[in-house]
Amino acid sequence: MAIAEAVPILAMPPRPARPLSNWQLLRVGLTNTVAACDEQLFEEPIVERGFLGRRAFVISDPDGVRRVLQDNCDNYPRLEQSRRVFRFAAGTGMLCAEGEVWRRHLRLINPILDYRAVQADVPALTGFAEDAAQFLASMPPGAEIDIGDAAARFIAAATNYLFAGPDRRIEPFVRTMAKYPGSFSLLDVLPIPAAVARLLGLRNEGQRFEPLLLELIAERRAADYTGSKDLLWRLVQAQDRASGDRLGDAELCDEALTLANTAVTPLRVLNWIWYLLALHPAVERRLHAELDAVLSGRSPDFDDFPALPYLRQVIDETMRLYPPLPVMMRTVAADDVVCGRPIPRRSIVTIAPWIIHRHRRLWDEPDRFDPDRFSPENARSRSRYAYIPFSIGPHICTGAPLSIVQMTILVAIWAQRFRFHLVPGHPVEPIGWTSLRPAHGIKVTVEARKA
C-alpha cells in the first residue's frame, strides 16, 4: 500500500491577524507588499479600508475584477505613484501611459509580441536553455547554487538576443533594466507631482541608455539596414494598419525600457517552479513522465507545446501561488458601482493576484500546490477572473505569450536532465512590490537524471 506524501508548508510571509494601521502599512508595504495582506482580505470578496485620508477598496470578487480591469477599465487608471516609477523620457511606455496614448501603443505593440510572433524565436531560445543546462552539468556534485542565478543566465542571453540579435552593445542596458526599480523608499509612494519627481531625479536610471537606444533605433530605421529582425527592429517597423502611424524616437525609447524591465518576468516564476517541484516529488515524477513520453530526451520545438499539458498546468499553478505581479493599484476617475458596492471617485482600488489566487472563497485548500486545478475540466468550472497572473482585460501584459514560451522551453529541457534539491536550512521568503521574488534566493543542489 502506497504511503501518502506529507503536504509541505509553502513559503509565505507572516499574515497579520488584523488590519494594519496606515503607519504599519507604509512601513511593511515599502519592504514587502504581500506581508501587509491581513487575514480578512483572504475571506471577504470586497474589503473597504481607509488609507492616508482616502477610501480604499480591496476587490477579490471575480465579477468585481472584471468590472475594474475589463468592462470599465478606463475609469480605473493606475495609481500615479505606480505610473511614476515607469515614467521614462516621454512618459508613454505601456506601464505608464493611460487613455488614448496607451491604446495607440497597444495597437502597435501587441502584434509583435503575440504567440505567433514569438514562434520564430523558439530555436534560438532553445539553444540558450541548452547552454544554461551545460552550465548546470558542469557543477561539481553537491555544489550549492542559487537556482535563480542559473536561470538568469538563460533569461539574460535570451533577452539580449531578442532585443538586438548578436549586437553585444545591448547587454549593459538589459542588465540594468532587469534589476529596475530595485528597492523602494517613502518618496516612491508619496503623491509627488511628476514635475517635482523629475526635478528630484527620482527613477532616472533609464536616461543614460537613451543615446544607445537612439543609435540602435536609427540603424534599424535606415533603408540599407541588413541586420537581424529583432525586437527593436520590430518596434521601429510597427505600423498601425488603419492610419499608418508609427512610434517616434522618444516613444520607442520608452517602450524599449519598459519591455527590458518586464523581460525578467519568467525568471521570477522559474525560481518558484523549481522550489515547488523539489517539495512535491509526486508532481515532479508526473512531469518527468510526460516529458519523457513526448520528447524522449530531446529539446522541444514550438509544435511540441500542445502535447505538454501537464507542464503548462505546473507553470499555471506556480503562478497562482507565486504570481509575478502580486499587487495592482488603481484610482477611481468617476463614481462607480462594483458588485452592488458604491465606489466613490478618488478612492484607491487594489486588485491583488496574491490575495485572489489564495482566496478561501475561490479555491479549495488555496495554500496547497496542485497542478490539477488547471486540468481542462477544473479550469472550465472556474471564473477566468479568479486567475490573473499577468492581469486581465485590455491591460493584460503584452509579453505574456513570450514569458510562457520561455518558461516552457527551460522547464522542458532542465527537468529532463536534472532534479533540484533544496539546501536544508536556507530561508525561502516571498517578497513583493512591482514583482514577486524570493528575498534570499533559492539554494539547491543539482542531481543529473536521464529521460
Side-chain angles (χ1 to χ4, degrees):
M1 180 177 176
I3 298 175
E5 294 177 351
V7 177
I9 298 174
L10 304 183
M12 63 180 183
R15 189 176 292 175
R18 292 179 295 277
L20 302 180
S21 67
N22 281 346
W23 168 244
Q24 289 172 321
L25 277 173
L26 284 173
R27 181 175 57 82
V28 175
L30 279 175
T31 305
N32 188 0
T33 52
V34 297
C37 301
D38 60 80
E39 285 286 356
Q40 185 188 12
L41 301 179
F42 298 87
E43 295 280 359
E44 300 298 329
I46 299 180
V47 175
E48 181 179 353
R49 302 274 170 81
F51 182 66
L52 298 180
R54 296 171 68 176
R55 294 176 72 177
F57 298 84
V58 180
I59 298 177
S60 301
D61 187 294
D63 290 337
V65 172
R66 176 174 180 168
R67 176 68 180 173
V68 172
L69 294 184
Q70 180 157 318
D71 295 348
N72 198 24
C73 65
D74 285 347
N75 192 52
Y76 295 90
R78 283 162 290 199
L79 204 65
E80 168 58 27
Q81 289 90 327
S82 302
R83 297 174 61 200
R84 190 172 69 216
V85 171
F86 297 100
R87 180 176 284 114
F88 301 118
T92 59
M94 292 286 286
L95 294 180
C96 174
E98 293 285 354
E100 183 51 40
V101 173
W102 168 79
R103 277 188 286 271
R104 173 173 166 266
H105 281 235
L106 183 67
R107 289 194 300 270
L108 289 164
I109 293 171
N110 249 358
I112 70 174
L113 287 171
D114 68 15
Y115 199 64
R116 292 163 297 178
V118 303
Q119 182 176 354
D121 296 315
V122 168
L125 296 175
T126 298
F128 296 130
E130 290 169 345
D131 291 343
Q134 289 297 320
F135 166 75
L136 288 174
S138 71
M139 292 289 101
E144 297 180 2
I145 65 167
D146 188 317
I147 192 62
D149 290 345
R153 298 172 70 93
F154 163 70
I155 296 298
T159 305
N160 291 338
Y161 166 81
L162 290 167
F163 262 86
D167 194 330
R168 303 292 294 272
R169 289 175 293 171
I170 201 74
E171 291 179 2
F173 162 74
V174 169
R175 282 198 302 270
T176 298
M177 294 312 298
K179 298 175 183 176
Y180 184 87
S183 58
F184 290 84
S185 71
L186 190 59
L187 290 175
D188 285 310
V189 299
L190 291 177
I192 300 171
V196 175
R198 284 194 295 271
L199 287 174
L200 293 174
L202 295 179
R203 296 298 173 194
N204 60 0
E205 292 96 319
Q207 291 181 6
R208 66 186 178 97
F209 292 107
E210 287 174 21
L212 169 64
L213 291 172
L214 289 172
E215 181 179 347
L216 295 170
I217 288 165
E219 291 172 2
R220 283 152 180 78
R221 187 177 280 133
D224 59 351
Y225 176 72
T226 58
S228 62
K229 295 183 178 180
D230 48 46
L231 185 55
L232 285 176
W233 181 87
R234 283 182 268 174
L235 281 171
V236 169
Q237 301 302 321
Q239 187 173 16
D240 189 288
R241 293 179 180 178
S243 67
D245 182 34
R246 296 180 187 269
L247 296 175
D249 284 356
E251 294 175 306
L252 288 166
C253 285
D254 272 18
E255 290 303 354
L257 289 160
T258 301
L259 291 171
N261 174 250
T262 56
V264 77
T265 298
L267 176 60
R268 304 298 185 218
V269 183
L270 288 165
N271 275 296
W272 300 111
I273 286 175
W274 303 116
Y275 165 75
L276 290 167
L277 289 176
L279 288 175
H280 298 83
V283 172
E284 185 184 47
R285 287 192 295 270
R286 185 171 165 188
L287 174 63
H288 287 163
E290 177 179 86
L291 293 170
D292 295 349
V294 174
L295 300 176
S296 299
R298 65 176 173 84
S299 295
D301 59 34
F302 192 79
D303 293 334
D304 290 315
F305 294 170
L308 299 170
Y310 193 67
L311 169 53
R312 179 59 189 267
Q313 289 175 213
V314 168
I315 292 172
D316 284 337
E317 176 69 345
T318 299
M319 291 194 295
R320 183 188 70 83
L321 286 166
Y322 298 103
L325 178 66
V327 176
M328 295 174 278
M329 299 183 73
R330 302 288 191 266
T331 188
V332 185
D335 292 351
D336 196 17
V337 177
V338 176
C339 297
R341 179 81 67 95
I343 307 293
R345 175 180 172 273
R346 293 194 69 252
S347 299
I348 296 172
V349 167
T350 296
I351 304 286
W354 175 263
I355 296 170
I356 294 167
H357 292 182
R358 293 172 179 260
H359 203 281
R360 298 187 184 104
R361 295 197 184 191
L362 301 177
W363 305 88
D364 293 329
E365 298 183 86
D367 296 322
R368 183 170 65 87
F369 179 60
D370 179 12
D372 278 331
R373 297 180 201 271
F374 292 91
S375 66
E377 57 273 20
N378 287 333
R380 280 193 296 269
S381 65
R382 182 172 57 244
S383 169
R384 60 186 296 224
Y385 300 93
Y387 177 64
I388 52 171
F390 295 107
S391 187
I392 202 166
H395 281 278
I396 193 169
C397 175
T398 55
L402 177 59
S403 293
I404 294 295
V405 166
Q406 289 177 294
M407 288 186 278
T408 301
I409 290 171
L410 192 75
V411 175
I413 292 174
W414 284 17
Q416 288 186 92
R417 304 184 191 185
F418 309 106
R419 297 187 68 221
F420 299 101
H421 305 281
L422 298 176
V423 172
H426 180 76
V428 178
E429 177 190 357
I431 185 168
W433 218 82
T434 58
S435 64
L436 188 76
R437 60 182 176 82
H440 314 287
I442 295 176
K443 293 291 183 69
V444 300
T445 57
V446 184
E447 173 193 344
R449 73 174 292 267
K450 291 183 179 181

